[in-house]
Amino acid sequence: MVEAQLEALNFPDAPHMVTAAFPGPRAQEALALSARTESMARGGGRMPVVMDRAFGVTFKDPDGNTFIDLSAGVGVSSVGRCHPKVVAAMRQQSESLMHSMEVNSTRRTELAAKISEIMPEGLRGNCITYFAQSGSDALEAAVKFAKRVTGRHQIIAFHGAYHGVWHASGSLTTGTAYRKGFGPFMAGVIHAPYPYAYRFPFDTTHKSAEQVAGEYVDYLLNTPYTGADDVAAVIVEPVQGEGGYVPPAPEFLQLLHKACDKSGALLIVDEVQAGAGRTGKMWAVEHSGVKPDMLTFGKGMGGDVPMAGLVMRADLAEKIPDGSAPNTFAANSVSAAVSLANIALLQDPELNLVERAHHLGLEAQERIRGFNSPFVGEVRGRGLMIGIELVEDRATKEPLSREHLGQLMAYLTSHGVLMIPCGRYTNVMRVMPSLTIPRQLLHKALDIFGDALRTL
């Protein structure tokens, strides 16, 4: 019954290509216009894909080609694009109030109360939300507020981290494309190893990558002469996103929490990509049982519209001066109404989308491993946040070449499947569809991916 409901929320012909060549003539015109008029500093500007209409996990380009989207707008469309209940909420709200600047509004306040209800233990019922417009904004606020609350200035982040691209957030992010030529960055940032076990640089004969990485942060925070003597916060992704979709064992966050407690530093979890049910729990940090001091959210919480924020313990929020961080467009009433509709769908007991993501993710991982491709080095993930690390050689772990990646991407898009890569070598393909993806569409898309691997 649920599968039939979810299937009805998509274009029925996906995937279906109608043009003889891809991209088709109308898409080519749109791409040419974009190249002349838009900055290509955005991430997907050079991709040959143009979206014209979307429904659920499917979309059509200007030529009428129909695609299955395994990217969910980089984890944004948690309940699928243009869900009827979301559209209804948007329409209804837009007829009564949209922008309210930063004064109180009914939808904004209602959303803040709902967020408090769905937070992980430690924040649930005892937190204050600062609304923002993007994940980068939320991380900027997290750094600013952590410094104010603790009176300290250093921040520990991790190798492979992506926390945004502005000043403070960009200083925490480690991707070369986001940093090279843009310095100098914010002072006081210390980067430590993330437990990326597949490519971990240290010996794990006697200890797991999680133990080594967690104990190293404890050493930094709680040992003299490390230079980390004024740390305000440790900021961590519970599942690393752009760094390669790396899901550490719960022990890692548990060790970080203990180390922060000893030193007086705050533990801030960045749930912008991993949150909103994607990993099989509402928040990825819940897999570890750790109680964070602050949590950032974004992407899937707003779905089709911008919505992000920072949630902090109430006692910490009391130390932030009134009026010290204005944000004109944050928690626009339409965005708040849409976010409330998204949350209601994620919590719908009939759909059971969060738990379904857990089971569907296990199915997907098993199916991918069943391809037995020599180019698949590792399949990993939690829920519908799955990374497929592609290599030229399993023994040496040499990352997939740019030539092969281009060949793979061309096959996928020309056969109606959108997947986007990530990782330190851009060799990790992501399976991160909307949580509403019908099982049969997921299997169709993965089978096309399997076909693409066989062309390499």
Side-chain angles (χ1 to χ4, degrees):
M1 180 65 177
V2 169
E3 289 299 318
Q5 283 181 257
L6 297 179
E7 287 175 14
L9 296 173
N10 297 274
F11 292 130
D13 59 339
H16 181 60
M17 309 302 282
V18 298
T19 56
F22 177 82
R26 291 182 179 177
Q28 288 188 42
E29 288 178 12
L31 290 166
L33 179 61
S34 175
R36 294 196 305 270
T37 57
E38 288 193 76
S39 169
M40 291 298 117
R42 60 193 170 99
R46 300 294 182 189
M47 288 189 71
V49 174
V50 178
M51 291 189 178
D52 185 53
R53 292 179 290 150
F55 191 32
V57 301
T58 60
F59 69 90
K60 293 181 182 289
D61 72 7
D63 296 290
N65 295 311
T66 310
F67 298 77
I68 300 172
D69 181 11
L70 292 187
S71 76
V74 194
V76 168
S77 302
S78 52
V79 300
R81 289 184 171 91
C82 299
H83 192 288
K85 291 186 177 179
V86 170
V87 172
M90 187 180 294
R91 181 179 293 115
Q92 182 179 358
Q93 185 60 45
S94 66
E95 291 174 350
S96 58
L97 176 67
M98 289 187 275
H99 177 58
S100 62
M101 54 181 214
E102 291 184 302
V103 301
N104 297 317
S105 66
T106 49
R107 292 292 85 75
R108 179 191 192 112
T109 303
E110 185 182 352
L111 177 58
K114 173 56 72 174
I115 287 171
S116 181
E117 290 177 14
I118 66 172
M119 277 293 106
E121 190 178 350
L123 291 173
R124 190 181 308 134
N126 181 38
C127 62
I128 297 294
T129 295
Y130 171 85
F131 287 111
Q133 294 158 253
S134 72
S136 292
D137 290 349
L139 267 297
E140 292 284 332
V143 171
K144 179 175 181 175
F145 291 175
K147 289 181 177 182
R148 174 73 188 206
V149 165
T150 63
R152 303 177 183 182
H153 83 283
Q154 292 175 314
I155 305 290
I156 292 178
F158 293 89
H159 302 155
Y162 182 93
H163 297 294
V165 293
W166 305 133
H167 181 59
S169 57
S171 302
L172 305 176
T173 295
T174 59
T176 304
Y178 313 119
R179 295 175 64 90
K180 190 173 182 179
F182 292 105
F185 295 95
M186 180 180 71
V189 177
I190 301 167
H191 285 101
Y194 195 86
Y196 180 11
Y198 188 72
R199 296 189 184 276
F200 201 59
F202 306 112
D203 181 22
T204 55
T205 304
H206 304 293
K207 291 184 178 181
S208 67
E210 287 81 0
Q211 284 178 295
V212 175
E215 289 175 3
Y216 180 70
V217 172
D218 183 41
Y219 164 79
L220 279 175
L221 286 172
N222 298 301
T223 305
Y225 280 70
T226 65
D229 50 10
D230 196 39
V231 175
V234 173
I235 297 182
V236 63
E237 296 163 273
V239 177
Q240 199 164 74
E242 301 305 308
Y245 272 42
V246 182
E251 182 180 17
F252 175 58
L253 289 179
Q254 293 162 3
L255 287 168
L256 293 188
H257 188 249
K258 289 177 184 177
C260 287
D261 273 357
K262 278 195 289 182
S263 73
L266 302 177
L267 179 62
I268 303 174
V269 292
D270 180 352
E271 295 264 7
V272 170
Q273 191 162 167
R278 176 150 301 279
T279 66
K281 290 187 181 291
M282 184 61 78
W283 306 104
V285 71
E286 292 179 294
H287 291 282
S288 67
V290 163
K291 301 176 183 178
D293 299 301
M294 295 183 180
L295 179 151
T296 57
F297 66 85
K299 294 187 183 291
M301 284 285 280
D304 283 318
V305 296
M307 170 58 68
L310 168 68
V311 182
M312 61 200 118
R313 289 200 330 258
D315 61 302
L316 301 179
E318 289 176 359
K319 300 178 182 180
I320 307 300
D322 287 1
S324 60
N327 193 324
T328 304
F329 289 102
N332 172 288
S333 290
V334 175
S335 297
V338 167
S339 190
L340 284 163
N342 282 340
I343 294 169
L345 286 164
L346 291 173
Q347 292 187 314
D348 185 327
E350 182 183 351
L351 296 175
N352 201 20
L353 292 178
V354 177
E355 186 177 343
R356 180 178 178 273
H358 166 72
H359 296 295
L360 208 54
L362 293 176
E363 273 184 40
Q365 290 195 49
E366 183 179 356
R367 196 176 191 90
I368 297 161
R369 293 189 185 101
F371 296 150
N372 292 317
S373 170
F375 294 100
V376 174
E378 183 176 61
V379 182
R380 55 181 179 255
R382 287 203 183 101
L384 288 174
M385 190 172 184
I386 300 167
I388 308 161
E389 178 125 9
L390 300 179
V391 295
E392 292 292 334
D393 185 287
R394 282 181 173 177
T396 65
K397 300 182 182 179
E398 178 189 351
L400 193 74
S401 68
R402 285 186 176 274
E403 180 184 354
H404 275 151
L405 178 66
Q407 187 178 335
L408 181 78
M409 294 293 290
Y411 186 97
L412 289 168
T413 52
S414 65
H415 286 76
V417 172
L418 179 61
M419 294 178 75
I420 53 177
C422 66
R424 304 176 196 194
Y425 301 95
T426 322
N427 68 318
V428 179
M429 296 302 290
R430 294 184 260 202
V431 177
M432 50 185 299
S434 303
L435 308 191
T436 52
I437 188 167
R439 182 173 274 102
Q440 58 97 3
L441 283 183
L442 177 60
H443 288 181
K444 272 187 185 180
L446 291 179
D447 286 346
I448 291 170
F449 174 70
D451 294 339
L453 288 174
R454 285 187 280 274
T455 69
L456 301 183

